[in-house]
Amino acid sequence: MSPLFPALAARSTRPALGFGDQALSHAELATAAGALAARIVGAPRVAVWATPTLGTAVGVVAALLAGVPVVPVNPKTGERELTHIVTDSSPALVLAESGVELPPILAELPRVGTDRTEVTDPVDRALPDEPAPESPALIVYTSGTTGPPKGVVLPRRAVAATLDALEDAWQWTDADVLVHALPLFHVHGLILGILGPLRRGGSVRHLGRFSTDGVARELSSGATMLFGVPTMYHRIAEALADDPELAKALAGARLLVSGSAALPVHDHERIGAATGRRVIERYGMTETLMNTSVRADGEPRAGTVGVPLAGVELRLVDEAGAEITAYDGDTVGEIQVRGPNLFTEYLNRPDATEAAFDDGWFRTGDMAIRDPDGYVRIVGRKATDLIKSGGYKIGAGEIENVLLEHPGVREAAVTGEPDEDLGERIVAWIVPVQADAPPSAEELAAHVAAQLASHKRPRTVRYLQALPRNDMGKIMKRSLHG
Ligand code: MCA
Ligand code: AMP
């Protein structure tokens, strides 16, 4: 396989990474990550404490150079989820910036610093040989409808294939300067948002934290592309009315890309009206990386996720398992995909891996229709127990299990409710042990955040005397909102 990062191998002196006032060129990154790679080479697997910082990017690149599979960990992961991830993936060591206090389960492991001072090496070593295309590059944890999150094993081949398909679809070049504020422990922020610019030989400026001011500042000073989740574009759409600088900055961008959840047509329209620019959507999944996109040279169409990317085969399948051949803008089927962009397996879960495929096609669980010209429109999801909030995928079951462990909770059900800002908001329906002294919403939110992750906390709590159940005793979630 040719190098995953040709510009690193070529020691390009062009800018590569910018996090506030910390920046590295491709050549400097090659030196820093190369030195770090030499320290971890041979480790079976490493975790990276994925703060939105330069050190995280250096750590991940070092692991990729060394051919060591890397598990990015959300630094806001709660105790139970972290224990699961660390036990399941068993990293040999942890990469983290100095000064960060790690939770006990990670603090027990050997720690390697990712700060520039720690990885500065007077010797500019040759980079290690390129690992095999099928070797695992990253293991990214993702929620399912039930059970704890599963580790998605992504080979180098998939990372390269998806980034090269996006190069084609977006005419993405080394002249592009990306700006974003996405977290670095998921595919969107890390693989597309950091590894993407590095593979192209271009650069990324990470805002650390999302703000419309930060987006405006970077797009007015040389950044050409913006990546965000719909919540970020919604906040941009809200701010545009009173912020001519933001409108001007967006109008000058080459490409505005949204993904991870559907961007409502209303927000598409508001941004279009205020800036004259169209946001384009792409559709992907942790297991498949990117599947479709509106092309930079194609017709933008709000409400669609565009056409299959180069190398990606996509089909719609009806409930009986038959392929839908109609491109009629009407017939709904589940999206199934095949191609070099796919993951290899769920770590330690052969059962789940097998169940995820239908004769070699990956079942996405997303329901869609196709316009006559092939544009895909996602219309829903098969599983009602999967919630997308702020672009994060969250399983209702994992939250219910944690809520049920709270001493004040007798019964619990979790649903997603439409939310203008987050797309969906997590709602907890609680039957308290003591009707006259139920645990407060804040307490339950803090309980979930401490065990799972802050983005999994319920934003609304509703108290009931009993949950609606059918004759079989199963909770009838659909009747909760009614
Ligand atoms: C508030 N906070 C709490 C509590 N209440 N923490 C613990 N317990 C509580 N009770 C804290 C939070 O930790 C956080 O801390 C702060 O309050 C605000 O958090 P939150 O309300 O969650 O933030 P938000 O403003 O709602 O965030 C919106 C967001 C975020 C920035 C858009 O949702 C986001 O970054 N989304 C991106 C998701 C993403 O990248 N998905 C990609 C996966 P502090 O102030 O310290 O932060 S999908 C994917 O990869 C596929 C492949 C694809 O297609 O892309
Ligand atoms: P995750 O498993 O966190 O990687 O999230 C993947 C899921 O996000 C997909 O299965 C879709 O349901 C959803 N998704 C990603 N991009 C889009 C998009 N542009 N429009 C609608 N849904 C999307």
Side-chain angles (χ1 to χ4, degrees):
M1 188 172 164
S2 53
L4 200 49
F5 304 116
L8 250 60
R11 300 290 200 280
S12 158
T13 54
R14 299 169 63 126
L17 300 171
F19 286 77
D21 56 8
Q22 289 187 295
L24 292 179
S25 68
H26 291 271
E28 289 166 330
L29 177 61
T31 305
L36 190 51
R39 291 177 63 188
I40 64 173
V41 75
R45 210 173 274 154
V46 297
V48 61
W49 189 246
T51 48
T53 53
L54 184 68
T56 298
V58 172
V60 171
V61 172
L64 291 170
L65 291 177
V68 176
V70 57
V71 185
V73 177
N74 173 1
K76 291 203 186 115
T77 307
E79 199 177 336
R80 157 132 11 149
E81 191 161 316
L82 184 64
T83 303
H84 165 68
I85 291 171
V86 175
T87 315
D88 189 49
S89 64
S90 55
L93 47 89
V94 57
L95 305 177
E97 288 189 306
S98 60
V100 170
E101 195 189 334
L102 294 175
I105 191 164
L106 283 175
E108 280 171 10
L109 298 176
R111 174 173 177 160
V112 178
T114 55
D115 303 67
R116 205 162 170 200
T117 45
E118 288 193 48
V119 297
T120 300
D121 187 346
V123 189
D124 195 7
R125 299 161 193 273
L127 299 180
D129 290 342
E130 194 67 21
E134 285 306 312
S135 60
L138 296 115
I139 298 162
V140 179
Y141 278 80
T142 188
S143 290
T145 44
T146 55
K150 300 188 285 286
V152 175
V153 180
L154 294 163
R156 301 174 82 83
R157 169 259 301 155
V159 174
T162 217
L163 294 177
D164 294 351
L166 294 177
E167 171 189 30
D168 166 58
W170 297 343
Q171 300 170 355
W172 191 352
T173 72
D174 61 0
D176 278 306
V177 178
L178 172 67
V179 56
H180 75 88
L182 294 155
L184 299 188
F185 45 84
H186 276 310
V187 165
H188 194 170
L190 182 61
I191 299 188
L192 271 56
I194 299 290
L195 305 184
L198 295 180
R199 181 155 173 87
R200 295 281 72 80
S203 67
V204 52
R205 300 183 197 161
H206 195 282
L207 297 175
R209 186 182 191 101
F210 176 77
S211 73
T212 53
D213 288 350
V215 168
R217 185 185 64 238
E218 297 305 333
L219 287 179
S220 328
S221 59
T224 63
M225 293 167 95
L226 172 67
F227 289 178
V229 292
T231 300
M232 295 171 181
Y233 283 102
H234 176 75
R235 293 179 186 179
I236 286 172
E238 293 278 292
L240 275 170
D242 305 317
D243 192 343
E245 287 305 311
L246 179 62
K248 203 168 139 211
L250 289 168
R254 188 180 78 74
L255 211 60
L256 308 173
V257 187
S258 174
S260 303
L263 181 64
V265 171
H266 179 56
D267 288 330
H268 269 289
E269 285 172 350
R270 289 197 292 173
I271 294 171
T275 67
R277 299 304 309 276
R278 293 284 166 190
V279 177
I280 65 165
E281 286 195 67
R282 94 294 179 287
Y283 156 65
M285 211 173 161
T286 306
E287 290 88 334
T288 65
L289 304 183
M290 295 304 114
N291 296 313
T292 72
S293 183
V294 173
R295 296 180 58 89
D297 57 2
E299 182 207 331
R301 200 177 301 165
T304 84
V305 293
V307 294
L309 292 167
V312 178
E313 291 177 84
L314 182 148
R315 68 178 190 184
L316 299 186
V317 174
D318 70 16
E319 270 182 23
E323 185 171 345
I324 296 169
T325 48
Y327 283 58
D328 56 3
D330 192 38
T331 314
V332 179
E334 181 189 9
I335 300 176
Q336 299 192 346
V337 290
R338 214 160 59 167
N341 51 314
L342 262 58
F343 73 135
T344 332
E345 58 171 347
Y346 293 114
L347 188 67
N348 305 324
R349 295 292 307 276
D351 53 332
T353 307
E354 204 195 319
F357 287 89
D358 174 5
D359 202 17
W361 293 80
F362 178 74
R363 311 169 201 259
T364 65
D366 293 307
M367 307 301 289
I369 56 181
R370 269 179 307 205
D371 287 352
D373 57 2
Y375 272 54
V376 176
R377 291 178 188 269
I378 296 175
V379 295
R381 247 188 328 260
K382 249 183 157 170
T384 47
D385 273 351
L386 277 182
I387 300 164
K388 265 271 163 169
S389 187
Y392 287 111
K393 183 154 87 179
I394 301 158
E398 53 181 330
I399 305 177
E400 287 160 2
N401 289 339
V402 167
L403 286 170
L404 283 169
E405 281 171 17
H406 189 282
V409 173
R410 188 190 307 281
E411 292 184 82
V414 166
T415 59
E417 221 169 62
D419 185 279
E420 271 216 344
D421 181 48
L422 295 170
E424 285 182 289
R425 124 182 103 239
I426 296 172
V427 179
W429 305 80
I430 299 292
V431 180
V433 172
Q434 278 184 278
D436 52 353
S440 70
E442 294 70 33
E443 188 178 335
L444 294 174
H447 174 68
V448 172
Q451 292 301 321
L452 300 179
S454 51
H455 63 265
K456 297 184 178 177
R457 70 187 191 275
R459 308 278 175 141
T460 302
V461 177
R462 302 220 173 91
Y463 300 94
L464 299 171
Q465 287 178 331
L467 294 177
R469 291 181 188 269
N470 64 14
D471 293 346
M472 311 290 288
K474 193 172 177 299
I475 299 170
M476 295 190 295
K477 291 197 177 176
R478 286 183 202 281
S479 61
L480 280 168
H481 294 281

